[in-house]
C-alpha cells in the first residue's frame, strides 16, 4: 500500500504541498502571524463584517438565548428562531418566495445540485466554476458538460444540442458563478440569462464573491444588471462579505420545499449553531442598510486604487497576479510576507496548471498606504 509520506513527498516535489497558517489575532486588515504584524490581503471578509461589533453581539445573544449548538438536524428539532428569521430575511432581500440556508456554501452547492438533478438530466457548467459546484454536479449523476470560460457560443451549442434530444421531463441546468473566485472577472450574465430562457433551461447563479459587493442592495451581479427576477436559483455564501458562515439558496416555494426534502447535506447534518444564523442575519441587515452602501463605496475605492496601480480594469474585490509556475508563486508570496503583506500563492488544482498566482483580495478596511505598500512590493508586471 502507498504510504501517506510518499504522497506528501510527491506533493512537495511538485510545489503543491499545502499547510495551515494560524493567524494569532485579527484576520482583517492587520493580523499577527508568528509574532509579526502583517497586512492581510487574503481574506474574503470584504466589508470587514466578521469583526463588526453588532455581528459579534448578535452571535453572543443568540448563543445565550438558544444555546451553543442546535442539537439536531433542521428537519428533526434543529430549526430555531434564528434559522427561520435568516431565511425569511434572505427571501425578502432577494425578492423570492422562499430561501433555505445551509452550514456553508460548499454544502449548499452539493445539496442543491444533488437535490434537483438525477440520472438523465443535464448540467452545463462554466469551466472555471468552483470545486463545490463541480462536486455537486458529479455527485448528482446527471450528464455533466463544461463550456470554456464565458464562451456563450459554446454554451448555446450545448443548449441547442441537449434541448433537441432531452425527453420532456428531464432537467437542463446551466451553472455559473457571477464573480469568478480565482480570476475576479464576471460572468456574461445578460447573455447567459437570454440563452437559458431561449432554450427553456434553468439557471443556478453562485453569487459567492458578488454578495455585499455588487448591486444597490448588495445582492450581487444579478441585481447590478437588473436580471435577478429571471434567475431560477440564486445561491451564495454567508461566509464571505456577510461576515458569518453558511450558505443559501433563494428560489420559488416549490423548489425550496423540494430542496429541504432532498438535499442530503441539509437532511443528514446537525443544524448550524444559532449564533451563525443570527450573525448572518445581522450581516445582511448591515449590507442592505446605508452603512452597507458606505462600506461598499469604500471597498470600491480601494479596488480602483489597486487596479489602477497594476493597470487592470476593476471588476471585483479579487485581483489576481498570474505568475505561472508554482515555485515563482510561492517565492513571491513568501517575499511579500517578509515585507509584511499576506497575499497567498494559489496553485493547482485550485487553478489550472501553469497559472499559479497571487490572489489579492481587497477589503473596505484597507488603507491607501497599505495598498500602495503592497503594490510597491509586487513583482514587475509579469
Ligand atoms: C467560497 C465559495 C463557495 C463556498 O462557500 P463556503 O461558505 O466557503 O463553503 C462556493 N462557491 C464559490 C464560488 C466560492 O468562492
Amino acid at each position: 500500500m502507498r504510504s501517506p509520506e510518499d504522497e506528501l513527498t510527491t506533493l512537495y516535489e511538485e510545489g503543491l504541498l499545502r499547510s495551515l497558517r494560524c493567524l494569532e489575532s485579527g484576520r482583517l486588515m492587520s493580523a499577527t502571524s508568528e509574532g509579526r504584524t502583517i497586512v492581510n490581503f487574503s481574506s474574503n471578509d470584504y466589508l470587514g463584517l466578521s469583526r463588526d461589533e453588532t455581528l459579534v453581539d448578535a452571535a453572543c445573544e443568540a448563543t445565550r438565548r438558544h444555546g451553543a449548538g442546535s442539537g439536531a438536524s433542521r428537519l428533526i428539532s434543529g430549526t430555531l428562531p434564528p434559522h427561520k428569521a435568516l431565511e425569511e430575511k434572505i427571501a425578502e432581500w432577494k425578492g423570492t418566495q422562499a430561501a433555505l440556508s445551509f452550514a456553508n456554501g460548499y454544502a449548499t452547492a452539493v445539496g442543491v445540485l444533488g437535490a434537483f438533478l438525477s440520472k438523465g438530466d443535464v448540467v452545463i457548467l462554466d469551466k472555471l466554476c468552483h470545486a463545490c459546484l463541480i462536486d455537486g454536479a458529479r455527485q448528482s449523476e446527471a450528464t455533466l458538460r463544461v463550456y470554456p470560460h464565458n464562451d456563450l457560443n459554446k454554451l448555446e451549442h450545448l443548449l441547442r444540442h441537449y434541448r433537441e434530444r432531452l425527453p420532456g421531463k428531464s432537467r437542463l441546468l446551466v451553472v455559473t458563478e457571477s464573480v469568478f473566485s480565482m480570476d475576479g472577472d464576471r460572468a456574461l450574465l445578460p447573455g447567459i440569462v437570454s440563452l437559458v430562457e431561449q432554450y427553456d433551461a434553468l439557471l443556478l447563479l453562485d453569487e459567492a464573491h458578488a454578495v455585499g459587493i455588487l448591486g444597490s442592495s448588495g445582492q450581487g451581479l444579478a441585481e447590478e444588471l437588473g436580471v435577478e427576477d429571471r434567475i431560477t436559483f440564486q445561491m451564495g455564501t454567508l461566509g464571505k462579505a456577510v461576515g458569518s458562515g453558511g450558505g443559501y439558496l433563494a428560489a420559488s416555494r416549490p423548489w425550496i420545499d423540494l430542496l429541504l426534502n432532498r438535499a442530503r447535506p441539509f437532511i443528514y447534518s446537525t443544524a448550524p449553531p444559532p449564533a451563525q444564523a443570527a450573525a448572518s442575519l445581522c450581516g445582511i441587515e448591515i449590507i442592505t442598510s446605508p452603512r452597507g452602501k458606505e462600506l461598499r463605496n469604500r471597498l470600491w475605492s480601494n479596488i480602483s486604487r489597486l487596479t489602477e496601480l497594476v493597470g487592470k480594469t476593476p471588476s471585483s474585490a479579487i485581483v489576481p497576479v498570474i505568475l505561472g509556475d508554482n515555485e515563482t508563486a510561492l517565492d513571491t508570496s513568501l517575499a511579500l510576507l517578509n515585507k509584511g503583506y499576506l497575499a497567498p500563492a494559489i496553485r493547482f488544482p485550485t487553478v489550472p496548471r501553469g497559472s499559479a498566482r497571487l490572489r489579492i483580495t481587497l477589503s473596505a478596511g484597507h488603507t491607501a498606504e497599505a495598498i500602495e505598500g503592497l503594490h510597491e512590493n509586487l513583482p514587475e508586471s509579469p
Side-chain angles (χ1 to χ4, degrees):
M1 279 192 284
R2 62 195 197 286
S3 71
E5 288 85 354
D6 287 348
E7 281 191 54
L8 288 167
T9 304
T10 309
L11 284 173
Y12 177 77
E13 284 168 359
E14 290 174 345
L16 293 175
L17 190 67
R18 301 171 187 221
S19 59
L20 295 171
R21 174 190 294 119
C22 175
L23 292 188
E24 287 135 22
S25 81
R27 292 186 300 281
L28 188 52
M29 282 64 67
S30 69
T32 54
S33 174
E34 287 152 19
R36 283 179 318 150
T37 298
I38 50 173
V39 189
N40 189 355
F41 283 100
S42 73
S43 174
N44 300 317
D45 187 5
Y46 299 117
L47 303 176
L49 292 181
S50 78
R51 299 189 70 83
D52 189 274
E53 263 180 44
T54 23
L55 263 80
V56 173
D57 286 345
C60 293
E61 164 67 13
T63 300
R64 268 190 214 100
R65 207 184 258 228
H66 303 289
S70 296
S73 82
R74 289 284 307 276
L75 286 167
I76 304 301
S77 56
T79 298
L80 302 172
H83 300 114
K84 193 165 171 283
L86 170 63
E87 287 162 354
E88 284 168 3
K89 179 72 194 179
I90 293 170
E92 180 206 318
W93 180 35
K94 294 271 173 180
T96 56
Q97 289 172 349
L100 196 69
S101 65
F102 288 72
N104 49 58
Y106 187 100
T108 309
V110 171
V112 168
L113 292 165
F116 295 159
L117 296 174
S118 48
K119 229 188 188 89
D121 296 332
V122 175
V123 54
I124 306 174
L125 292 94
D126 184 290
K127 172 93 176 119
L128 293 188
C129 274
H130 191 268
C132 64
L133 298 165
I134 297 165
D135 293 357
R138 280 198 187 131
Q139 286 179 29
S140 74
E141 292 182 43
T143 300
L144 194 171
R145 299 301 304 266
V146 168
Y147 60 98
H149 180 49
N150 264 340
D151 183 341
L152 299 200
N153 286 328
K154 189 67 206 246
L155 173 61
E156 174 158 26
H157 176 84
L158 288 166
L159 281 168
R160 189 183 309 120
H161 177 90
Y162 285 107
R163 183 38 73 223
E164 282 167 6
R165 287 163 183 79
L166 267 187
K169 290 255 180 206
S170 298
R171 291 186 181 139
L172 180 56
L173 174 70
V174 175
V175 179
T176 184
E177 293 175 29
S178 56
V179 166
F180 286 83
S181 62
M182 293 300 136
D183 291 77
D185 62 333
R186 302 178 186 185
L188 301 174
L189 196 55
I192 295 171
V193 168
S194 297
L195 285 175
V196 163
E197 287 171 348
Q198 187 183 335
Y199 291 95
D200 197 19
L202 302 163
L203 177 61
L204 168 63
L205 181 68
D206 183 352
E207 296 260 29
H209 294 279
V211 161
I213 294 158
L214 294 172
S216 64
S217 75
Q219 279 181 53
L221 183 61
E223 183 187 33
E224 173 112 350
L225 300 172
V227 295
E228 66 271 37
D229 297 339
R230 295 162 65 191
I231 295 162
T232 317
F233 306 124
Q234 299 190 61
M235 181 197 138
T237 171
L238 302 164
K240 289 168 180 162
V242 178
S244 173
Y248 66 83
L249 187 81
S252 68
R253 172 65 63 191
W255 284 115
I256 296 297
D257 287 344
L258 181 63
L259 186 61
L260 70 85
N261 276 277
R262 286 269 164 81
R264 296 172 67 86
F266 179 88
I267 299 169
Y268 299 107
S269 185
T270 302
Q276 178 177 318
S280 297
L281 171 58
C282 186
I284 293 170
E285 277 167 353
I286 293 175
I287 283 173
T288 54
S289 74
R291 196 170 148 235
K293 195 157 272 187
E294 196 185 298
L295 288 169
R296 261 195 296 293
N297 288 341
R298 246 190 271 165
L299 172 63
W300 275 102
S301 68
N302 283 343
I303 294 168
S304 301
R305 183 168 281 124
L306 182 67
T307 50
E308 201 168 295
L309 287 170
V310 299
K312 287 195 168 149
T313 320
S315 61
S316 73
I318 301 161
V319 183
V321 178
I322 313 262
L323 295 166
D325 64 278
N326 297 328
E327 210 151 301
T328 310
L330 285 172
D331 291 349
T332 310
S333 177
L334 192 62
L336 277 172
L337 193 59
N338 288 329
K339 297 278 186 182
Y341 301 97
L342 176 54
I346 308 288
R347 294 162 284 164
F348 178 82
T350 309
V351 294
R353 284 188 198 274
S355 73
R357 65 196 65 186
L358 296 179
R359 177 179 179 270
I360 297 166
T361 49
L362 291 160
S363 154
H366 284 125
T367 61
E369 296 76 59
I371 293 168
E372 282 151 19
L374 169 76
H375 173 250
E376 278 162 23
N377 287 286
L378 285 177
E380 289 298 311
S381 251

Short mmCIF file of all heavy atoms in Angstrom, two decimals, residues 252-280:
data_model
loop_
_atom_site.label_atom_id
_atom_site.label_comp_id
_atom_site.label_asym_id
_atom_site.label_seq_id
_atom_site.Cartn_x
_atom_site.Cartn_y
_atom_site.Cartn_z
N SER A 252 -38.21 29.92 -5.78
CA SER A 252 -39.65 29.88 -5.54
C SER A 252 -39.97 28.81 -4.51
O SER A 252 -39.17 27.90 -4.25
CB SER A 252 -40.40 29.61 -6.85
OG SER A 252 -40.12 28.28 -7.26
N ARG A 253 -41.16 28.90 -3.90
CA ARG A 253 -41.54 27.99 -2.82
C ARG A 253 -41.46 26.50 -3.17
O ARG A 253 -40.89 25.71 -2.42
CB ARG A 253 -42.95 28.39 -2.32
CG ARG A 253 -43.59 27.46 -1.34
CD ARG A 253 -42.88 27.37 -0.01
NE ARG A 253 -42.84 28.63 0.71
CZ ARG A 253 -42.07 28.83 1.80
NH1 ARG A 253 -41.27 27.88 2.25
NH2 ARG A 253 -42.10 29.98 2.41
N PRO A 254 -41.97 26.09 -4.35
CA PRO A 254 -41.90 24.65 -4.64
C PRO A 254 -40.46 24.13 -4.71
O PRO A 254 -40.18 23.03 -4.24
CB PRO A 254 -42.58 24.52 -6.01
CG PRO A 254 -43.41 25.75 -6.16
CD PRO A 254 -42.75 26.82 -5.38
N TRP A 255 -39.56 24.91 -5.28
CA TRP A 255 -38.17 24.46 -5.35
C TRP A 255 -37.57 24.33 -3.95
O TRP A 255 -36.85 23.39 -3.65
CB TRP A 255 -37.31 25.42 -6.19
CG TRP A 255 -37.51 25.32 -7.67
CD1 TRP A 255 -38.02 26.28 -8.50
CD2 TRP A 255 -37.17 24.20 -8.52
NE1 TRP A 255 -38.03 25.82 -9.80
CE2 TRP A 255 -37.51 24.56 -9.85
CE3 TRP A 255 -36.61 22.94 -8.29
CZ2 TRP A 255 -37.31 23.72 -10.94
CZ3 TRP A 255 -36.41 22.08 -9.37
CH2 TRP A 255 -36.76 22.47 -10.68
N ILE A 256 -37.88 25.31 -3.08
CA ILE A 256 -37.31 25.26 -1.72
C ILE A 256 -37.93 24.09 -0.94
O ILE A 256 -37.22 23.39 -0.20
CB ILE A 256 -37.54 26.61 -0.99
CG1 ILE A 256 -36.77 27.74 -1.70
CG2 ILE A 256 -37.13 26.52 0.49
CD1 ILE A 256 -35.26 27.59 -1.72
N ASP A 257 -39.21 23.85 -1.14
CA ASP A 257 -39.85 22.70 -0.47
C ASP A 257 -39.21 21.39 -0.93
O ASP A 257 -38.97 20.48 -0.13
CB ASP A 257 -41.36 22.67 -0.74
CG ASP A 257 -42.10 23.76 0.04
OD1 ASP A 257 -41.50 24.33 0.98
OD2 ASP A 257 -43.26 24.05 -0.30
N LEU A 258 -38.94 21.31 -2.23
CA LEU A 258 -38.30 20.10 -2.75
C LEU A 258 -36.88 19.98 -2.18
O LEU A 258 -36.45 18.90 -1.77
CB LEU A 258 -38.26 20.15 -4.28
CG LEU A 258 -37.64 18.92 -4.96
CD1 LEU A 258 -38.44 17.65 -4.66
CD2 LEU A 258 -37.53 19.14 -6.48
N LEU A 259 -36.20 21.11 -2.12
CA LEU A 259 -34.81 21.11 -1.63
C LEU A 259 -34.73 20.57 -0.21
O LEU A 259 -33.86 19.75 0.10
CB LEU A 259 -34.27 22.55 -1.69
CG LEU A 259 -32.80 22.74 -1.36
CD1 LEU A 259 -31.90 21.99 -2.34
CD2 LEU A 259 -32.43 24.24 -1.39
N LEU A 260 -35.62 21.00 0.65
CA LEU A 260 -35.49 20.55 2.04
C LEU A 260 -35.92 19.09 2.21
O LEU A 260 -35.65 18.46 3.24
CB LEU A 260 -36.20 21.50 3.02
CG LEU A 260 -37.71 21.60 3.08
CD1 LEU A 260 -38.31 20.55 3.99
CD2 LEU A 260 -38.10 22.99 3.60
N ASN A 261 -36.57 18.55 1.17
CA ASN A 261 -36.89 17.12 1.19
C ASN A 261 -35.78 16.26 0.60
O ASN A 261 -35.78 15.04 0.79
CB ASN A 261 -38.16 16.86 0.38
CG ASN A 261 -39.40 17.09 1.20
OD1 ASN A 261 -39.81 16.21 1.95
ND2 ASN A 261 -39.97 18.28 1.11
N ARG A 262 -34.88 16.89 -0.18
CA ARG A 262 -33.95 16.09 -0.96
C ARG A 262 -32.48 16.35 -0.70
O ARG A 262 -31.64 15.53 -1.05
CB ARG A 262 -34.20 16.35 -2.46
CG ARG A 262 -35.45 15.71 -3.01
CD ARG A 262 -35.13 14.32 -3.56
NE ARG A 262 -36.32 13.51 -3.74
CZ ARG A 262 -37.14 13.58 -4.77
NH1 ARG A 262 -36.90 14.43 -5.73
NH2 ARG A 262 -38.18 12.79 -4.84
N ALA A 263 -32.14 17.54 -0.14
CA ALA A 263 -30.72 17.91 -0.06
C ALA A 263 -30.04 17.15 1.08
O ALA A 263 -30.29 17.41 2.25
CB ALA A 263 -30.58 19.42 0.14
N ARG A 264 -29.16 16.23 0.71
CA ARG A 264 -28.57 15.36 1.72
C ARG A 264 -27.72 16.09 2.75
O ARG A 264 -27.81 15.79 3.94
CB ARG A 264 -27.80 14.23 1.04
CG ARG A 264 -28.74 13.31 0.24
CD ARG A 264 -27.98 12.29 -0.60
NE ARG A 264 -27.28 11.33 0.21
CZ ARG A 264 -27.82 10.20 0.70
NH1 ARG A 264 -29.09 9.90 0.43
NH2 ARG A 264 -27.11 9.38 1.42
N PRO A 265 -26.90 17.09 2.36
CA PRO A 265 -26.12 17.80 3.39
C PRO A 265 -27.02 18.57 4.37
O PRO A 265 -26.61 18.88 5.48
CB PRO A 265 -25.27 18.79 2.58
CG PRO A 265 -25.30 18.30 1.18
CD PRO A 265 -26.61 17.59 1.01
N PHE A 266 -28.24 18.89 3.93
CA PHE A 266 -29.18 19.58 4.81
C PHE A 266 -29.87 18.59 5.75
O PHE A 266 -30.00 18.83 6.95
CB PHE A 266 -30.23 20.29 3.93
CG PHE A 266 -31.28 21.04 4.71
CD1 PHE A 266 -31.07 22.36 5.10
CD2 PHE A 266 -32.48 20.43 5.05
CE1 PHE A 266 -32.04 23.05 5.82
CE2 PHE A 266 -33.45 21.11 5.76
CZ PHE A 266 -33.23 22.43 6.15
N ILE A 267 -30.26 17.45 5.18
CA ILE A 267 -31.05 16.49 5.94
C ILE A 267 -30.20 15.73 6.96
O ILE A 267 -30.62 15.54 8.10
CB ILE A 267 -31.72 15.48 4.97
CG1 ILE A 267 -32.67 16.22 4.02
CG2 ILE A 267 -32.49 14.39 5.75
CD1 ILE A 267 -33.18 15.35 2.87
N TYR A 268 -29.02 15.31 6.53
CA TYR A 268 -28.23 14.39 7.37
C TYR A 268 -27.12 15.09 8.13
O TYR A 268 -26.04 14.55 8.31
CB TYR A 268 -27.66 13.27 6.50
CG TYR A 268 -28.77 12.45 5.86
CD1 TYR A 268 -29.05 12.57 4.50
CD2 TYR A 268 -29.57 11.61 6.65
CE1 TYR A 268 -30.09 11.84 3.93
CE2 TYR A 268 -30.60 10.89 6.07
CZ TYR A 268 -30.86 11.01 4.71
OH TYR A 268 -31.88 10.30 4.16
N SER A 269 -27.38 16.30 8.59
CA SER A 269 -26.34 17.03 9.32
C SER A 269 -27.01 17.91 10.37
O SER A 269 -28.10 18.45 10.16
CB SER A 269 -25.56 17.89 8.31
OG SER A 269 -24.48 18.51 8.94
N THR A 270 -26.34 18.05 11.50
CA THR A 270 -26.86 18.89 12.57
C THR A 270 -26.98 20.34 12.09
O THR A 270 -26.10 20.84 11.39
CB THR A 270 -25.92 18.81 13.79
OG1 THR A 270 -25.84 17.44 14.18
CG2 THR A 270 -26.44 19.64 14.95
N ALA A 271 -28.07 20.99 12.45
CA ALA A 271 -28.28 22.38 12.04
C ALA A 271 -27.12 23.25 12.50
O ALA A 271 -26.57 23.02 13.58
CB ALA A 271 -29.59 22.90 12.63
N PRO A 272 -26.74 24.25 11.71
CA PRO A 272 -25.66 25.15 12.15
C PRO A 272 -26.04 25.81 13.48
O PRO A 272 -27.22 26.02 13.76
CB PRO A 272 -25.58 26.19 11.03
CG PRO A 272 -26.25 25.58 9.87
CD PRO A 272 -27.26 24.62 10.38
N PRO A 273 -25.04 26.16 14.30
CA PRO A 273 -25.33 26.79 15.59
C PRO A 273 -26.17 28.06 15.41
O PRO A 273 -25.99 28.77 14.41
CB PRO A 273 -23.95 27.15 16.13
CG PRO A 273 -22.99 26.31 15.39
CD PRO A 273 -23.61 26.02 14.05
N PRO A 274 -27.07 28.34 16.34
CA PRO A 274 -27.90 29.55 16.22
C PRO A 274 -27.08 30.83 16.08
O PRO A 274 -27.49 31.76 15.38
CB PRO A 274 -28.72 29.57 17.51
CG PRO A 274 -28.23 28.44 18.37
CD PRO A 274 -27.43 27.53 17.52
N ALA A 275 -25.90 30.87 16.69
CA ALA A 275 -25.05 32.07 16.59
C ALA A 275 -24.71 32.38 15.14
O ALA A 275 -24.65 33.54 14.73
CB ALA A 275 -23.76 31.87 17.39
N GLN A 276 -24.46 31.33 14.36
CA GLN A 276 -24.09 31.51 12.96
C GLN A 276 -25.23 32.14 12.17
O GLN A 276 -25.03 33.07 11.38
CB GLN A 276 -23.70 30.15 12.37
CG GLN A 276 -23.34 30.20 10.90
CD GLN A 276 -22.89 28.85 10.35
OE1 GLN A 276 -22.15 28.11 11.00
NE2 GLN A 276 -23.35 28.51 9.17
N ALA A 277 -26.45 31.63 12.40
CA ALA A 277 -27.61 32.18 11.69
C ALA A 277 -27.88 33.62 12.13
O ALA A 277 -28.17 34.49 11.30
CB ALA A 277 -28.83 31.30 11.93
N ALA A 278 -27.76 33.89 13.42
CA ALA A 278 -28.04 35.23 13.93
C ALA A 278 -27.03 36.23 13.39
O ALA A 278 -27.38 37.35 13.00
CB ALA A 278 -28.03 35.23 15.46
N ALA A 279 -25.75 35.85 13.35
CA ALA A 279 -24.72 36.75 12.82
C ALA A 279 -24.94 36.97 11.32
O ALA A 279 -24.76 38.08 10.82
CB ALA A 279 -23.33 36.18 13.07
N SER A 280 -25.35 35.92 10.59
CA SER A 280 -25.62 36.07 9.16
C SER A 280 -26.75 37.06 8.91
O SER A 280 -26.66 37.92 8.03
CB SER A 280 -26.00 34.72 8.54
OG SER A 280 -24.94 33.81 8.64
#
